[in-house]
Amino acid sequence: AQSVTQLDSHVSVSEGTPVLLRCNYSSSYSPSLFWYVQHPNKGLQLLLKYTSAATLVKGINGFEAEFKKSETSFHLTKPSAHMSDAAEYFCVVSITNSGNTPLVFGKGTRLSVIA
Amino acid sequence: GAVVSQHPSWVICKSGTSVKIECRSLDFQATTMFWYRQFPKQSLMLMATSNEGSKATYEQGVEKDKFLINHASLTLSTLTVTSAHPEDSSFYICSARDTGTSGPRGQFFGPGTRLTVL
């Protein structure tokens, strides 16, 4: 079965420093992977997605993630954190490649940005 | 494009009443929609898969008689929480699968509905 593990439940960084949110996946095939962000009391916003194209995926707001098959990882990074980046981040995998099955969410990583 | 709306965005109801939540795909057709539930400070958990014109498929542990799902058209799915109780208070999020887009990149999420049962 497909699953994702977010290795940190909470990450705290200073404004202007790099962000690293870790995600490992488990899949029996080449998966489709996503990162979503959720601000407090808000819905989900898609940051970026990997669907078997380029392994380095660039998303919105300066975020990017690299798909590493050998490490079964899909870590999310950003060179310089901004206060507005403080939110909950979810690493997500698709159960199948058909699109007709639901997405499986990791438990989430809460990012705090300190001024 | 690819916008999914939910209505209402928040609702407060008394214990024992029923609440209907709508999920609409505004600019695409969605034969498949998914309903998720999110408790405070937790991740999203899939409740059910809704298919247009057929019965929904519920995840293990989700009461189908309590969470009624209807997907009567290609752009609308509804979730009705029947005889709501305080433990049903949660954030309910739907996603819709764009029929015209292949693969999992064609799923789009609604903004969510916050239900509070007093």
Side-chain angles (χ1 to χ4, degrees), chain A residues 32 34 36 38 41-44 49 51 88 90 92 94-108 110, chain B residues 31-32 34 36 38 41-44 46 49 51 59 91 93 97 101-112 114:
Chain A
S32 292
F34 309 78
Y36 282 86
Q38 185 179 35
N41 299 312
K42 299 289 186 182
L44 295 165
K49 55 191 175 186
T51 54
E88 190 83 17
F90 294 100
V92 182
S94 176
I95 291 180
T96 70
N97 273 331
S98 72
N100 290 321
T101 49
L103 302 178
V104 177
F105 282 73
K107 292 187 180 298
R110 182 163 61 92
Chain B
T31 55
T32 303
F34 305 99
Y36 296 83
Q38 184 182 31
K41 300 188 185 302
Q42 294 189 28
S43 187
L44 277 73
L46 178 69
T49 301
N51 293 299
E59 294 299 298
F91 195 47
I93 301 175
R97 160 88 164 88
T101 303
S102 62
R105 59 194 172 91
Q107 286 195 29
F108 304 95
F109 285 86
R114 184 163 301 284

Side-chain angles (χ1 to χ4, degrees), chain B residues 7-117:
Chain B
H7 178 79
S9 56
W10 60 271
V11 57
I12 301 173
C13 69
K14 293 182 179 180
S15 185
T17 60
S18 295
V19 174
K20 179 184 284 188
I21 302 170
E22 294 184 347
C23 177
R24 292 182 185 272
S25 57
L26 297 185
D27 49 3
F28 63 95
Q29 294 185 332
T31 55
T32 303
M33 293 185 176
F34 305 99
W35 287 95
Y36 296 83
R37 183 175 183 176
Q38 184 182 31
F39 289 106
K41 300 188 185 302
Q42 294 189 28
S43 187
L44 277 73
M45 298 299 294
L46 178 69
M47 298 175 66
T49 301
S50 169
N51 293 299
E52 187 265 338
S54 63
K55 291 183 178 181
T57 304
Y58 290 82
E59 294 299 298
Q60 190 173 8
V62 178
E63 299 176 60
K64 63 179 181 180
D65 294 330
K66 180 168 185 60
F67 298 99
L68 299 179
I69 291 174
N70 183 279
H71 194 157
S73 79
L74 289 173
T75 59
L76 174 64
S77 175
T78 60
L79 168 68
T80 301
V81 183
T82 62
S83 187
H85 287 90
E87 57 265 30
D88 298 324
S89 299
S90 190
F91 195 47
Y92 293 87
I93 301 175
C94 73
S95 72
R97 160 88 164 88
D98 182 356
T99 306
T101 303
S102 62
R105 59 194 172 91
Q107 286 195 29
F108 304 95
F109 285 86
T113 296
R114 184 163 301 284
L115 170 63
T116 301
V117 184

Side-chain angles (χ1 to χ4, degrees), chain A residues 66-88:
Chain A
E66 185 172 8
F67 175 74
K68 292 186 176 180
K69 187 175 181 179
S70 61
E71 300 176 9
T72 62
S73 69
F74 190 58
H75 301 334
L76 181 71
T77 60
K78 182 174 180 177
S80 176
H82 192 272
M83 295 297 290
S84 61
D85 294 328
E88 190 83 17

